[in-house]
Each structure stands twice: as structure tokens, then as C-alpha cells.
Amino acid sequence: MKLLSVVLAIVFWFLVVMADNPKDSVSFSNIQVNLINTELLEKGNKFYEVLEGSDRIRVTVEAPRNVIQELNASDIVAEADVSRLTEVNTVPISFRILNDEIEILDITGSRDAVRLNVEEKASKWVNVNCDTRGEVAEGYIIGSTKLDQTRLEITGPQSVVESIKYAGIEIDVTGAVTNVSGNADVHFYDTEGALVDDSDIVKNANIMHVEVQVLATKEVPVEVSYSGTAAEGYVATGQVECDPASVMIAGTASALAEINKITIPERELDITEATENVEKVIDIRKYLDNASLADSSFNGRVTVTVHIEPVVERNLVIPQGSISVINLPEGYEWEFAEEQQTYRLRISGLESAVAAVNQSEVRGTIDVGAWMTEEDIQELTSGVHEIQAVFTVPDDVNIRNEISVRLNINKLEEE
């Protein structure tokens, strides 16, 4: 009976306690799971990342009501020891209450392991490209860009590092008429030019200083000269073509003010002994002083053509009436001393020039005074004299023969 009384007393006491302070539970959301011993992965030259937010969990605690009422999320400790990493890259989670003196009945989580992506760590150097945003002012172009450094070293998960093709920065040049400079964030891109998430990438620079050269532009003609003489029986027409005939150049405003044309020297184009058109491709970049080509897609090569045509001849029939005598000394008179009424004048040149000559408009002149000087004649004697006539033809036509006219010159008798 005494023993039974003791047992009943204990039971009754427990029932009374439970009635006054029953078992209860509480859940805490968004509890951070602390990863410990992660240096083991780093020593193994591995990189890890937590998958799908598996390091954030909900924790449920069972304890007497008076304990539950005092619990806070900060009392919960959730840990995952990386030294216990499994073959499928999961790390078991352990739970405990920060204060060991708090008595709880049970503690559980919404998941029992943190899922990791574990990769080999990789490093490499990538080139840095600079892109501009917006358009410079009309009449200006972007020249060159200058960066603090043209390459960056990156370190991170092997899959991410291998996907990165290049680093890029961007700077706004909208409306610029002078050089633009500033700092820009560094981003990374794959082979398709798509942006790569670099949150897990360690790089030796996060921002970079860039200077963009802004140049004025100007369109100038290309002037061409040539040297040499075409083969016998041929002549340069004087027509020289250049394709393109003008080019757009770029430079500082002060430099462009001094440039009005691009001159290709005659040594570049020799037509010696040519019997047909002479064509040559010439790189004009070497003749640009303090300037450059504005169109980056243009390689600076122009095609120059000197037109060559055969020489043609034509005989003109010049009547005596088209020949006049000038500078006859005073006191003399003249008349033609020959019966022929016409003279044959042979001309040559380009076909178009020769064909354009109207023989009825060709005039000849006999300069008696000039002839006397040339022949050193002090006093003109009466009689028949043979004197060369000079004919006037267009500059692009040559006279191939000489025509001498016999004049009967007599001194007038004094009254």
C-alpha cells in the first residue's frame, strides 16, 4: 500500500504538472544553416555553391509551453559540417539550441541536408573590350579607346570560367565632340555575347578607367599625278580617274583645317611606253598627315586609271586666203609667188581633238620681221623669198609638218 501510494503520488504530480505546463511546438522560418569547415574544399582547390537555397530552412521545436514562449529564432543553431560531404554533394544538417540550459523535447528541420554544387576551381586571363553607348555629335567619329589594362585574371567555378569569352565595359558618348573618359563596371560575356553571371567570379578589377578619343571628320578629294610618256604613237588623254574620287578622313579639328586634298605623287604611277590604259591600286594611308581614315571598313586602297589612246593624224587643206603676212618692212609690198591655191597641213593628237578641228577656221601667219631676225637679214632685197608659215591650232593638237610659202617681195619705188 505504501509503495502504491508513492507511485500514485508521482503519477498525480506528473498529471498536475502537465496540466499546468503542457507540451507545445513552434516553427521558425528562414533559418540560416551555417556551413563549417569549408576551408577543406578550398584546400582541395574546389569551389562550392549552395543549390536552390537549401541553406535556408524552417525549424520546428517541441518543448514545454513555458520554454516555447521564451524561444526566439536567434536561439536556433543549424549547422552543416562540410567534412561530412557525401558523394552526391549533400551535407547533413544538425540542430541545437544556443543555450544548453534550455530543455527541449525535440528539434527538426524542413530538410535534413544542404545541397551543394562542387566544382574544380579554375583561373584564366581574358581580354577586355570597350563598347560605347549612344552616338557622338554629327561630323564626329570615335577614334581609339584606351583602357587601364587590356586583360583581366578571373577565378571561379570551372564551368563558369570556361564559359567566359571576354570582359567588357561600356561608356556613354552621346553628343560628344571632345574626348570622353570615366570609370565603368566590368562585366563578362560568353561566345554568343550573352551576359554571364559573375557573382561567383573573383577578378583583379571590378571597375576600369577608359578614355575614348573623339575625332572630327572631313571629306577630301584624291588628287593623282603620273610620270613618263606613253609609247610612240600613243598619248595620255589627260583623263585620270580615281575610285573612290574622295575619302572621309578623321583627326583633330586643327589638323583637318590644314588638309584640303590627298595627293598621290607622280612616282606612284609611271606610264612609260604604255599602249593602253594604266591602272594601279594605291594605298593612300601613307599620304595622310596627322589624320586617319574615318571609315574603319575602308582599307585605304584606291584604284587609279590613266587613260591612254593612240595618236591619229589628219590632213587639212588650207587655202591661200587663210594665210596672212605681218611685220613687212615699210616701203615693201608682197604677193604669193606660186600658183598653188591650197596647202596641206598634217595634224595629230587624240581622235576627239583632231576631229574637232574645223579647217576653215585654221589661220596661218607669215611674220616677215621675225623671219629677218632669225636669218640675220638687215635689209630686205626685192625678189622671191621662201618663209615658213605658222598656223594656230588648239593646244591639244600637234602640227606634224612645216609649210613654207614663197612670197614675191618688192621694194616700192620712190616717187
Side-chain angles (χ1 to χ4, degrees), residues 4 21 43 102 108 280 287 310:
L4 179 60
N21 189 23
K43 289 179 181 179
I102 298 178
T108 58
K280 186 178 180 181
Y287 302 118

Side-chain angles (χ1 to χ4, degrees), residues 7 11 86 179 213 339 403:
V7 172
V11 172
T86 68
N179 294 350
Q213 183 185 43
E339 295 180 357
I403 294 179

Side-chain angles (χ1 to χ4, degrees), residues 28-161:
F28 299 97
S29 299
N30 203 29
I31 299 297
Q32 175 67 53
V33 179
N34 299 318
L35 296 177
I36 61 177
N37 292 323
T38 56
E39 66 275 6
L40 296 176
L41 293 175
E42 295 174 0
K43 289 179 181 179
N45 199 35
K46 294 184 182 298
F47 180 90
Y48 73 91
E49 64 174 333
V50 177
L51 296 178
E52 301 173 353
S54 59
D55 61 343
R56 291 281 180 174
I57 62 174
R58 185 178 70 257
V59 177
T60 301
V61 180
E62 289 187 2
R65 179 174 294 174
N66 63 337
V67 173
I68 292 297
Q69 291 175 347
E70 299 297 327
L71 281 179
N72 295 307
S74 58
D75 295 321
I76 307 300
V77 177
E79 293 178 334
D81 190 343
V82 174
S83 65
R84 300 173 60 194
L85 182 68
T86 68
E87 292 183 355
V88 293
N89 292 333
T90 60
V91 184
I93 303 173
S94 62
F95 306 95
R96 61 185 176 87
I97 300 299
L98 188 60
N99 187 349
D100 294 337
E101 296 181 356
I102 298 178
E103 295 183 2
I104 62 172
L105 301 177
D106 192 19
I107 181 169
T108 58
S110 56
R111 60 168 57 93
D112 58 5
V114 175
R115 297 178 60 238
L116 300 181
N117 175 38
V118 180
E119 292 187 53
E120 293 292 331
K121 185 182 292 186
S123 297
K124 73 175 181 181
W125 289 85
V126 293
N127 294 329
V128 182
N129 297 338
C130 179
D131 292 324
T132 56
R133 182 175 65 255
E135 299 290 338
V136 296
E138 186 176 357
Y140 291 81
I141 64 167
I142 294 174
S144 61
T145 57
K146 182 180 179 181
L147 302 172
D148 282 346
Q149 57 191 91
T150 57
R151 303 188 75 204
L152 283 179
E153 184 180 23
I154 59 175
T155 302
Q158 185 175 17
S159 61
V160 180
V161 170

Side-chain angles (χ1 to χ4, degrees), residues 90-310:
T90 60
V91 184
I93 303 173
S94 62
F95 306 95
R96 61 185 176 87
I97 300 299
L98 188 60
N99 187 349
D100 294 337
E101 296 181 356
I102 298 178
E103 295 183 2
I104 62 172
L105 301 177
D106 192 19
I107 181 169
T108 58
S110 56
R111 60 168 57 93
D112 58 5
V114 175
R115 297 178 60 238
L116 300 181
N117 175 38
V118 180
E119 292 187 53
E120 293 292 331
K121 185 182 292 186
S123 297
K124 73 175 181 181
W125 289 85
V126 293
N127 294 329
V128 182
N129 297 338
C130 179
D131 292 324
T132 56
R133 182 175 65 255
E135 299 290 338
V136 296
E138 186 176 357
Y140 291 81
I141 64 167
I142 294 174
S144 61
T145 57
K146 182 180 179 181
L147 302 172
D148 282 346
Q149 57 191 91
T150 57
R151 303 188 75 204
L152 283 179
E153 184 180 23
I154 59 175
T155 302
Q158 185 175 17
S159 61
V160 180
V161 170
E162 290 180 350
S163 71
I164 293 175
K165 179 65 175 179
Y166 64 93
I169 62 174
E170 187 178 70
I171 187 168
D172 191 356
V173 297
T174 302
V177 296
T178 58
N179 294 350
V180 178
S181 63
N183 296 324
D185 295 329
V186 177
H187 300 288
F188 297 96
Y189 302 86
D190 61 18
T191 54
E192 302 297 328
L195 189 65
V196 176
D197 181 7
D198 61 355
S199 56
D200 294 326
I201 292 295
V202 177
K203 46 190 176 290
N204 60 352
N206 291 314
I207 61 174
M208 191 170 293
H209 185 75
V210 58
E211 293 184 3
V212 179
Q213 183 185 43
V214 178
L215 300 174
T217 61
K218 181 179 182 179
E219 186 173 5
V220 294
V222 181
E223 185 179 87
V224 184
S225 300
Y226 60 87
S227 61
T229 304
E232 186 176 356
Y234 293 84
V235 66
T237 67
Q239 181 183 2
V240 182
E241 295 178 348
C242 182
D243 183 24
S246 63
V247 297
M248 190 72 72
I249 60 175
T252 63
S254 58
L256 295 189
E258 302 294 326
I259 302 175
N260 295 315
K261 61 184 178 182
I262 298 173
T263 302
I264 298 177
E266 62 181 24
R267 66 175 181 271
E268 284 276 15
L269 206 58
D270 186 3
I271 66 169
T272 300
E273 296 301 318
T275 59
E276 58 185 11
N277 292 349
V278 176
E279 183 177 294
K280 186 178 180 181
V281 176
I282 300 173
D283 190 342
I284 63 172
R285 288 176 295 184
K286 54 189 172 183
Y287 302 118
L288 294 177
D289 295 327
N290 301 318
S292 60
L293 295 173
D295 184 358
S296 59
S297 64
F298 177 45
N299 62 7
R301 298 181 181 275
V302 299
T303 301
V304 179
T305 304
V306 179
H307 288 262
I308 307 293
E309 290 185 8

